[in-house]
Amino acid sequence: MVSKVEICGVNTAKLPVYKDAEMKEMMEKIKAGDKDVKDEFIRGNLRLVLSVIQRFGNRGENPDDLFQVGCIGLIKAINNFDTSHGVKFSTYAVPMIIGEVRRYLRDNNSIRVSRSLRDTAYKALSIRERMGREMQREPSISEIATEMAIPREDLVLALDAIQEPISLYEPVVHDDGDPIYVMDQVKDTKNSDVHWIENIALAEAMAKLSPRERHILELRFFEGKTQMEVAEEISISQAQVSRLEKNALKYMRKYV
């Protein structure tokens, strides 16, 4: 999706680009009821929608669907934007677009959450949107909790309950061209692979590895260290640790 230029039949590379002063002037005309200027203003900010939905590209959703949902958030931002606060439109619009996309993903989430938590979370999101319009900035969790007259901890719990899950195989960073996944950052201190190694007699297979590969596997699977911790200990990049670990495991499968 990152390199996608045409989306929903719109070639974003050919869209107009307006400066802040031009956008402010157009917004004044929009508030006066000029629908043609509003349509042109929307077209001029479709790139903003595209840039926002790119951060949701690993959710398995159709980019066109996300783009259309993001456009709804853009229109809401235009309708509620107040030029008197002196805030750039993009600063105000981005949270609105993100909120609309998250609401769409949340409503299509297959994981069941208790009704009371969902009601609390939806009410909080509605209040956050209202407070955002009034304050012309994103309200804090504490401010929303105060407005709802509930403990901050209860609000955090409700909002966390409706967050869409993240795949363990979702890349979080690319280093030297190799993706590093969420699962590579997970440290398991309870369930190590010691018993598995003992049961399938990996001693011979590990003996065939180079000292460096063997050391990495010992740190990763016997001591339960993350790839980042291993990288710091042996003074190489995390991408190199990931590469050496995967190659070593692939080699060992021949003897296990």
Side-chain angles (χ1 to χ4, degrees):
M1 192 194 307
V2 174
S3 59
K4 190 164 187 178
V5 174
E6 186 167 335
I7 187 166
C8 287
V10 178
N11 189 337
T12 56
K14 296 182 179 180
L15 292 174
V17 178
Y18 298 111
K19 297 181 179 180
D20 290 340
E22 293 175 311
M23 292 179 66
K24 185 176 181 180
E25 183 178 342
M26 293 174 72
M27 183 59 70
E28 292 175 353
K29 294 180 179 179
I30 292 171
K31 295 300 181 182
D34 194 324
K35 294 183 178 180
D36 291 336
V37 174
K38 183 177 182 179
D39 290 341
E40 191 60 29
F41 190 89
I42 291 172
R43 284 181 52 80
N45 283 277
L46 291 181
R47 281 196 186 91
L48 183 63
V49 176
L50 182 60
S51 67
V52 170
I53 68 170
Q54 285 176 346
R55 69 183 66 184
F56 299 95
N58 296 319
R59 306 302 174 90
E61 295 289 337
N62 187 308
D64 287 358
D65 291 343
L66 293 181
F67 185 75
Q68 292 180 48
V69 172
C71 288
I72 294 174
L74 172 64
I75 293 172
K76 287 184 177 181
I78 294 172
N79 293 338
N80 295 297
F81 185 63
D82 189 345
T83 57
S84 65
H85 289 279
V87 178
K88 290 179 61 176
F89 175 73
S90 59
T91 303
Y92 177 75
V94 167
M96 295 282 285
I97 298 170
I98 292 175
E100 199 67 30
V101 174
R102 285 178 173 168
R103 183 157 41 245
Y104 167 80
L105 294 173
R106 183 181 65 246
D107 292 342
N108 286 275
N109 193 344
S110 59
I111 296 178
R112 294 186 179 274
V113 179
S114 71
R115 181 63 180 270
S116 60
L117 282 176
R118 291 178 68 90
D119 289 346
T120 300
Y122 291 158
K123 183 179 179 181
L125 293 175
S126 177
I127 290 176
R128 183 181 68 179
E129 191 170 312
R130 174 178 59 78
M131 293 179 68
R133 292 196 300 268
E134 295 172 353
M135 303 166 68
Q136 292 293 299
R137 64 173 176 82
E138 187 79 5
S140 68
I141 292 293
S142 298
E143 289 172 333
I144 298 173
T146 300
E147 180 73 13
M148 296 178 66
I150 64 173
R152 185 181 185 278
E153 294 75 14
D154 291 350
L155 177 57
V156 171
L157 178 63
L159 293 175
D160 285 346
I162 62 171
Q163 291 298 316
E164 59 274 8
I166 299 177
S167 170
L168 287 174
Y169 293 94
E170 181 173 347
V172 293
V173 67
H174 285 72
D175 187 8
D176 295 336
D178 287 345
I180 297 172
Y181 301 97
V182 172
M183 67 178 298
D184 295 329
Q185 311 300 306
V186 177
K187 181 176 181 178
D188 189 350
T189 58
K190 294 183 178 180
N191 301 302
S192 69
D193 287 316
V194 174
H195 299 297
W196 176 71
I197 294 173
E198 291 175 348
N199 291 336
I200 60 177
L202 281 177
E204 290 186 9
M206 291 192 67
K208 298 180 183 295
L209 300 175
S210 68
R212 186 186 225 182
E213 291 173 331
R214 188 161 55 250
H215 184 45
I216 288 174
L217 293 189
E218 288 172 351
L219 293 174
R220 284 281 287 144
F221 298 109
F222 284 86
E223 299 184 20
K225 294 187 176 181
T226 65
Q227 289 187 350
M228 181 64 75
E229 291 171 336
V230 174
E232 291 176 353
E233 181 165 331
I234 63 178
S235 301
I236 62 175
S237 71
Q238 185 174 359
Q240 289 176 294
V241 171
S242 176
R243 201 156 43 232
L244 289 168
E245 176 186 318
K246 291 172 184 176
N247 288 340
L249 293 175
K250 182 179 179 180
Y251 181 80
M252 290 174 63
R253 290 191 187 101
K254 300 177 182 179
Y255 302 95
V256 175

